[in-house]
C-alpha cells in the first residue's frame, strides 16, 4: 500500500489500471420523480406553496444522512488508514465519472445515486429562493444579484447531468430514463432563465417525449401513469408552447394577441415558474396598451374621469382583464382573489395621490383633480365591492339549494348576509359623483340620485333577507336559540322591509337585474307568511302548554293528531323530515281497524300470528286471502 506523499510513477499507475476489474451492473431502482414529488409536498412546496427555504434545508439534512449511513460509510468515506485523513469524512465520486474505479464504487450502494439527486434539488431550491427574493425587492433588504441565482441553477444542471451518467452505468433502464428526463427538465429551466428559447424548447421537448414514454410503460400502475401524464400535460407542454411563442415573437417582431390569451387562460394549470413568466409577459403587454392611451377615460356616476398616470392605467387594465375572467355563474376563488388584490393595489395608488392633492392649497385645478381622484377611487372600490357581493350571493344560493334544513346552514346564511349588508352599506358611502358646485346641473343630480337609490334598494333587500333568516333560525324547532316570540317579531320586521325594498326597486329605472329582485322579494313575502304561521303556532304552544300529554300524543306531532286538543310545551307542529310509517299490505277498505290503533303491536305477537296462519288452512282456499285479519 502506498503511503500518503509517496510519488507514483507511470509504470505503477499503468499496473494499477490493469488490476482494476469492473464489477457487474447493480441495476439499482430509484423512483426519481415520485421521490422528489413526495419530498417537495412534505417540505414547503406542496399544494401550490413556494417555500423553497424549508425544502433546501431538508435536502441538506437528507444529504448528511445519506453520506453518513452506517452501511455505506466505508464506500463514501476516506480510508481510516490514510495518514491525516478524517475517519468518516465524505469523499465524493469524481464528476464526470470514469468507467473504472468510480463505477465500481457506485455499484456498491444506492446512496451514490441519491447524493447527486438531492445535490441537484438543493441547488435548484436555493436558486428559486434567490429568484423569489430578487423579485420581491423589499425596502431595506439586500437582494442577491442575478448571476448568483444563475450560478446555483447551473450547479443543479451539473449535478443532474452527473446523475444521468451515473444511472446509465449502475441503475436499471427505468431509473436511467427518469434521470434523463430530470436532466432535460433541469437544463430546460436554465435555458428558460437565460432566455435561450431555442435551447429551452429542445430540452423541454426531449423531457416531454421521455415523460410520455414513461407513461406508456405504466400499464399496470395507473397511479404512476396518471402522474407522468399530468406532468406532461400540465407542466411541460405549457412551457414548450411558451418557448414556441417566444421564438415566434422574436422571428416576427411580436407575438399575436390570440396566442398570448391562450397561454394566459392555461395559467392556472401550469407551474409556478411559467406563471411568473406569463405574468411578466402580460405586464409588458398591458404597459404597452397603457402607453398607447388605453383606459385613459372612465365613466362613473355621471362623471368622466381622466386617468393620466401610466401606473394607474396598467392596474386598471389588469382589473378589466380580471373582470372578464371572473365567471358570472361558476365560482372561481383564485381568479376572484386575484381581482381583489389588483383592486387593493389600485386603491392604494389612487389614495396616495389623493392624499398628496389634499395637502395642497385649494384652487380650480386642484379641486378638479381631487374630484377626479375621488371618482376614480370610488370606481375601483365599487368594482371590488360588487364582485365580493356577487361571490357571497353565489355562496348563499348554493346553501339555499341544499335539501337539508339544518340550524348550521341557517347560521352560515345569516353570517353571509351580515357580510353582504356591510358591503352594501359601503357602496352607499362610496366617494365620487357630482358635487354641489356651480357647474352641476339637474342631469348630474338625477344620475347621483339614481345611483344612491339603487344602493339603498340593495340595502333594504339584504336587510329583509337577513331578518327573515334570523327569524327562521329562532323559529327552528331543533335550534338552541328557539324562541318563537322573537321569531314572530323578526318575521314581521322582514315583511315590512321586503315591502319597502319592492317600492325602492320599482322606483329604479335602469337597475341591473331589477325584475329578478322584484320576483325574489315576492317569493320572500310568501315564505315569510308560512314561517310566521309556524312560529305563531309554536309560540301559542309554549304559552298554553300546561296540561298533561295523553297517550295518543306520544311521539306524535300536532299534524298527526288534529283530533287531540291536549297541548304541551314539548309538542312539535310536524316532523321534518317526516317519520317513516308502516304501510298495510291490504287496502284500507279491508283494514278499517288500522285507523283506531294508537300503538304498534309487539313483534312477538306479530310473529305468533303469522305462525298460526301458516299452520291453519285458511290460506289454502279461494277466499282464504279475505279471511285473514
Amino acid at each position: 500500500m502506498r503511503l500518503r506523499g509517496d510519488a507514483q510513477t507511470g509504470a505503477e499507475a499503468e499496473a494499477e489500471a490493469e488490476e482494476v476489474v469492473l464489477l457487474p451492473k447493480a441495476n439499482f431502482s430509484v423512483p426519481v420523480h415520485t421521490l422528489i414529488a413526495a419530498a417537495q409536498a412534505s417540505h414547503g412546496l406542496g399544494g401550490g406553496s413556494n417555500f423553497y427555504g424549508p425544502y433546501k434545508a431538508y435536502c441538506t439534512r437528507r444529504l448528511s444522512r445519506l453520506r453518513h449511513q452506517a452501511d455505506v460509510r466505508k464506500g463514501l468515506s476516506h480510508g481510516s488508514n490514510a495518514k491525516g485523513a478524517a475517519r468518516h469524512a465524505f469523499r465524493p465520486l469524481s464528476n464526470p465519472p470514469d468507467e473504472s474505479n468510480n463505477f465500481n464504487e457506485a455499484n456498491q450502494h444506492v446512496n451514490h445515486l441519491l447524493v447527486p439527486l438531492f445535490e441537484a434539488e438543493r441547488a435548484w431550491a436555493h436558486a428559486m429562493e434567490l429568484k423569489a427574493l430578487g423579485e420581491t425587492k423589499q425596502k431595506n433588504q439586500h437582494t442577491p444579484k442575478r448571476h448568483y441565482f444563475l450560478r446555483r441553477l447551473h450547479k443543479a444542471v451539473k449535478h443532474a447531468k452527473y446523475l444521468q451518467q451515473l444511472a446509465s452505468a449502475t441503475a436499471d433502464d427505468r431509473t436511467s430514463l427518469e434521470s434523463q428526463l430530470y436532466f432535460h427538465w433541469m437544463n430546460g429551466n436554465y435555458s428558460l432563465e437565460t432566455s435561450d428559447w431555442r435551447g429551452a424548447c429542445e430540452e423541454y421537448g426531449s423531457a416531454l417525449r421521455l415523460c410520455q414514454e414513461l407513461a406508456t410503460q405504466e400499464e399496470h400502475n395507473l397511479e404512476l401513469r396518471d402522474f407522468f401524464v399530468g406532468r406532461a400535460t400540465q407542466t411541460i407542454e405549457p412551457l414548450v408552447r411558451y418557448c414556441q411563442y417566444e421564438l415566434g415573437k422574436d422571428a416576427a417582431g411580436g407575438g399575436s394577441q390570440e396566442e398570448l390569451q391562450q397561454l394566459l387562460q392555461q395559467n392556472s394549470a401550469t407551474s409556478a415558474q411559467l406563471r411568473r413568466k406569463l405574468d411578466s409577459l402580460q405586464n409588458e403587454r398591458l404597459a404597452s396598451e397603457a402607453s398607447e392611451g388605453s383606459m385613459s377615460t372612465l365613466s362613473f356616476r355621471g362623471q368622466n374621469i381622466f386617468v393620466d398616470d401610466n401606473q394607474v392605467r396598467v392596474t386598471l387594465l389588469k382589473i378589466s382583464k380580471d373582470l372578464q375572467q371572473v365567471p358570472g355563474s361558476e365560482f372561481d376563488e383564485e381568479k376572484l382573489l386575484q381581482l381583489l388584490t389588483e383592486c387593493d393595489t389600485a386603491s392604494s395608488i389612487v389614495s396616495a395621490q389623493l392624499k398628496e392633492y389634499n395637502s395642497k392649497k385649494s384652487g380650480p385645478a386642484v379641486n378638479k383633480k381631487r374630484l377626479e381622484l375621488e371618482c376614480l377611487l370610488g370606481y375601483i372600490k365599487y368594482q371590488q365591492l360588487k364582485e365580493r357581493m356577487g361571490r357571497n350571493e353565489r355562496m348563499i344560493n348554493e346553501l339555499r339549494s341544499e335539501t337539508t334544513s339544518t340550524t348550521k346552514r341557517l347560521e352560515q346564511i345569516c353570517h353571509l348576509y351580515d357580510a353582504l349588508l356591510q358591503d352594501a352599506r359601503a357602496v352607499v358611502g362610496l366617494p365620487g359623483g357630482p358635487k354641489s358646485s356651480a357647474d352641476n346641473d339637474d342631469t348630474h343630480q338625477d344620475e347621483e340620485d339614481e345611483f344612491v337609490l339603487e344602493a339603498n334598494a340593495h340595502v333594504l333587500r339584504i336587510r329583509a333577507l337577513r331578518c327573515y333568516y334570523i327569524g327562521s333560525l329562532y323559529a327552528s324547532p331543533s335550534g338552541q336559540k328557539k324562541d318563537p316570540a322573537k321569531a314572530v317579531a323578526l318575521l314581521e320586521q322582514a315583511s315590512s322591509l321586503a315591502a319597502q325594498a319592492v317600492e325602492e326597486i320599482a322606483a329604479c329605472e335602469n337597475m341591473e337585474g331589477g325584475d329578478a329582485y322584484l320576483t325574489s322579494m315576492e317569493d320572500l313575502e310568501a315564505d315569510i307568511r308560512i314561517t310566521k304561521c309556524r312560529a305563531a303556532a309554536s309560540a301559542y304552544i309554549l304559552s298554553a302548554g300546561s296540561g298533561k300529554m295523553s297517550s295518543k300524543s306520544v311521539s306524535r306531532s300536532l299534524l298527526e293528531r288534529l283530533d287531540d286538543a291536549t297541548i304541551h310545551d314539548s309538542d312539535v307542529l310536524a316532523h321534518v323530515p317526516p317519520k317513516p310509517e308502516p304501510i298495510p299490505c291490504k287496502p284500507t277498505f279491508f283494514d278499517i281497524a288500522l285507523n283506531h290503533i294508537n300503538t304498534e303491536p309487539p313483534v312477538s305477537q306479530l310473529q305468533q300470528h303469522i305462525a298460526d296462519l301458516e299452520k291453519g288452512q285458511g290460506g289454502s282456499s279461494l277466499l282464504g286471502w279475505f279471511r285473514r285479519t
Side-chain angles (χ1 to χ4, degrees):
M1 179 180 291
R2 186 172 53 88
L3 297 177
R4 186 178 180 182
D6 294 346
Q8 185 181 22
T9 62
E12 293 176 350
E14 185 176 352
E16 290 184 4
E18 293 178 355
E19 294 176 359
V20 173
V21 179
L22 292 178
L23 296 178
K25 189 176 181 180
N27 286 331
F28 294 121
S29 179
V30 178
V32 176
H33 289 84
T34 54
L35 180 65
I36 291 173
Q40 291 179 356
S42 303
H43 298 87
L45 297 180
S49 303
N50 295 322
F51 302 105
Y52 297 101
Y55 183 60
K56 183 186 71 172
Y58 162 75
C59 291
T60 302
R61 297 192 302 270
R62 182 67 186 274
L63 283 169
S64 178
R65 292 193 295 269
L66 291 173
R67 289 164 174 169
H68 297 87
Q69 192 171 339
D71 58 343
V72 78
R73 189 175 294 168
K74 180 179 179 181
L76 293 176
S77 308
H78 284 292
S80 58
N81 295 329
K83 183 179 179 181
R87 175 169 296 182
H88 301 306
F90 176 70
R91 178 175 57 84
L93 302 179
S94 61
N95 189 0
D98 54 74
E99 297 183 358
S100 55
N101 295 326
N102 216 23
F103 285 159
N104 286 339
E105 294 181 5
N107 276 315
Q108 295 176 5
H109 205 279
V110 70
N111 282 17
H112 285 287
L113 283 175
L114 295 177
V115 166
L117 175 61
F118 283 97
E119 284 276 11
E121 283 293 294
R122 182 174 64 173
W124 171 81
H126 192 193
M128 293 297 104
E129 184 183 21
L130 294 174
K131 182 181 179 181
L133 185 62
E135 291 176 350
T136 305
K137 294 183 180 179
Q138 298 180 356
K139 293 183 179 180
N140 301 325
Q141 183 178 1
H142 173 69
T143 56
K145 300 294 184 180
R146 176 173 170 79
H147 65 84
Y148 187 24
F149 149 68
L150 292 177
R151 191 165 67 245
R152 293 301 298 166
L153 192 58
H154 187 266
K155 189 73 172 179
V157 175
K158 182 179 179 181
H159 287 299
K161 185 177 180 180
Y162 174 50
L163 172 66
Q164 176 192 0
Q165 295 173 347
L166 206 60
S168 63
T170 62
D172 56 5
D173 295 338
R174 177 176 179 79
T175 304
S176 179
L177 279 178
E178 288 203 41
S179 62
Q180 291 179 27
L181 169 59
Y182 184 75
F183 167 69
H184 288 300
W185 161 256
M186 195 64 70
N187 200 14
N189 292 337
Y190 180 76
S191 301
L192 182 67
E193 295 297 338
T194 55
S195 300
D196 183 11
W197 311 119
R198 187 172 300 278
C201 190
E202 293 176 356
E203 294 295 334
Y204 285 139
S206 301
L208 180 61
R209 288 189 296 271
L210 289 172
C211 198
Q212 293 172 349
E213 182 178 353
L214 287 169
T216 55
Q217 292 180 1
E218 296 296 338
E219 297 180 356
H220 304 288
N221 195 337
L222 298 180
E223 185 177 359
L224 276 178
R225 182 176 183 179
D226 292 340
F227 173 80
F228 285 108
V229 169
R231 186 170 179 83
T233 57
Q234 298 180 7
T235 305
I236 303 179
E237 277 189 8
L239 286 168
V240 173
R241 287 194 295 269
Y242 174 74
C243 295
Q244 292 174 352
Y245 169 80
E246 290 289 348
L247 285 174
K249 186 177 68 172
D250 294 341
S256 64
Q257 183 69 19
E258 291 77 9
E259 294 177 355
L260 178 60
Q261 290 299 326
Q262 291 178 1
L263 289 173
L264 293 175
Q265 289 175 0
Q266 299 166 354
N267 195 4
S268 59
T270 55
S271 61
Q273 183 181 12
L274 182 55
R275 283 200 297 269
R276 288 193 296 267
K277 290 288 183 180
L278 293 177
D279 290 341
S280 176
L281 191 61
Q282 186 183 19
N283 292 336
E284 293 178 1
R285 180 76 65 175
L286 294 178
S288 176
E289 293 180 6
S291 61
E292 294 175 358
S294 182
M295 278 292 175
S296 59
T297 305
L298 297 175
S299 179
F300 179 64
R301 300 180 67 172
Q303 293 287 321
N304 291 325
I305 310 170
F306 298 97
V307 184
D308 52 1
D309 189 271
N310 193 42
Q311 185 179 4
V312 177
R313 288 182 186 176
V314 173
T315 310
L316 291 176
L317 283 171
K318 289 182 181 180
I319 295 174
S320 178
K321 300 290 185 183
D322 293 340
L323 286 174
Q324 296 176 2
Q325 294 179 1
V326 172
S329 58
E330 299 179 0
F331 179 66
D332 195 331
E333 184 74 22
E334 184 178 357
K335 293 180 180 179
L336 180 64
L337 290 177
Q338 184 180 359
L339 171 62
L340 297 180
T341 303
E342 296 296 342
C343 289
D344 289 334
T345 304
S347 299
S348 60
I349 296 173
V350 177
S351 298
Q353 294 179 358
L354 182 59
K355 183 178 180 180
E356 180 183 356
Y357 278 95
N358 286 334
S359 62
K360 295 182 180 181
K361 187 178 180 180
S362 299
V366 175
N367 292 339
K368 183 179 179 181
K369 190 63 179 179
R370 287 177 187 169
L371 180 59
E372 290 180 354
L373 291 176
E374 287 178 358
C375 292
L376 182 58
L377 184 61
Y379 169 79
I380 296 171
K381 290 186 176 180
Y382 174 70
Q383 298 295 337
Q384 186 178 21
L385 291 171
K386 182 180 177 182
E387 293 301 325
R388 194 161 59 191
M389 291 173 66
R391 172 246 192 186
N392 290 335
E393 296 245 18
R394 288 191 293 269
M395 294 180 66
I396 290 173
N397 292 333
E398 290 179 0
L399 291 174
R400 282 178 179 174
S401 61
E402 295 181 1
T403 56
T404 57
S405 178
T406 59
T407 306
K408 184 177 180 181
R409 184 178 68 92
L410 293 175
E411 291 177 353
Q412 292 175 351
I413 293 176
C414 292
H415 287 309
L416 287 173
Y417 272 120
D418 287 338
L420 268 174
L421 182 59
Q422 183 179 0
D423 292 339
R425 286 173 174 169
V427 171
V428 178
L430 282 177
K435 302 296 181 181
S436 57
S437 57
D439 56 348
N440 290 136
D441 52 10
D442 295 338
T443 304
H444 286 172
Q445 191 66 31
D446 292 341
E447 291 176 354
E448 170 70 12
D449 293 340
E450 180 71 18
F451 182 85
V452 175
L453 189 63
E454 291 184 6
N456 289 328
H458 279 296
V459 171
L460 288 172
R461 179 181 65 86
I462 294 171
R463 285 181 61 194
L465 289 166
R466 174 178 174 270
C467 197
Y468 164 72
Y469 280 102
I470 294 177
S472 300
L473 186 61
Y474 277 107
S476 177
S478 60
Q480 298 179 356
K481 299 180 180 180
K482 180 182 178 182
D483 193 341
K486 291 183 179 180
V488 171
L490 286 169
L491 292 171
E492 290 178 352
Q493 177 68 11
S495 179
S496 176
L497 291 172
Q500 297 178 25
V502 169
E503 295 179 0
E504 292 290 335
I505 293 172
C508 300
E509 297 179 357
N510 300 320
M511 186 176 186
E512 183 180 356
D515 296 336
Y517 292 143
L518 287 174
T519 305
S520 65
M521 288 295 102
E522 293 174 358
D523 296 339
L524 178 63
E525 290 180 352
D527 293 339
I528 288 173
R529 287 193 296 269
I530 296 172
T531 310
K532 186 179 177 181
C533 291
R534 294 176 180 173
S538 299
Y540 176 75
I541 291 173
L542 290 177
S543 61
S546 57
K548 295 183 179 180
M549 298 182 65
S550 63
S551 60
K552 294 183 180 180
S553 60
V554 176
S555 69
R556 301 179 70 188
S557 63
L558 292 178
L559 185 62
E560 296 172 341
R561 51 185 180 89
L562 296 176
D563 56 342
D564 188 3
T566 306
I567 299 176
H568 196 268
D569 55 1
S570 61
D571 290 341
V572 294
L573 294 176
H575 295 292
V576 179
K579 290 185 176 180
E581 296 182 359
I583 300 176
C585 62
K586 297 180 181 180
T588 308
F589 177 78
F590 299 105
D591 204 354
I592 303 175
L594 180 64
N595 298 328
H596 300 279
I597 298 177
N598 297 324
T599 58
E600 297 181 0
V603 179
S604 58
Q605 295 183 8
L606 289 175
Q607 293 178 350
Q608 182 64 30
H609 180 68
I610 294 171
D612 294 341
L613 289 177
E614 291 178 352
K615 292 180 181 178
Q617 300 296 328
S620 60
S621 62
L622 179 63
L623 300 178
W625 185 79
F626 292 97
R627 295 193 185 115
R628 293 179 184 177
T629 57

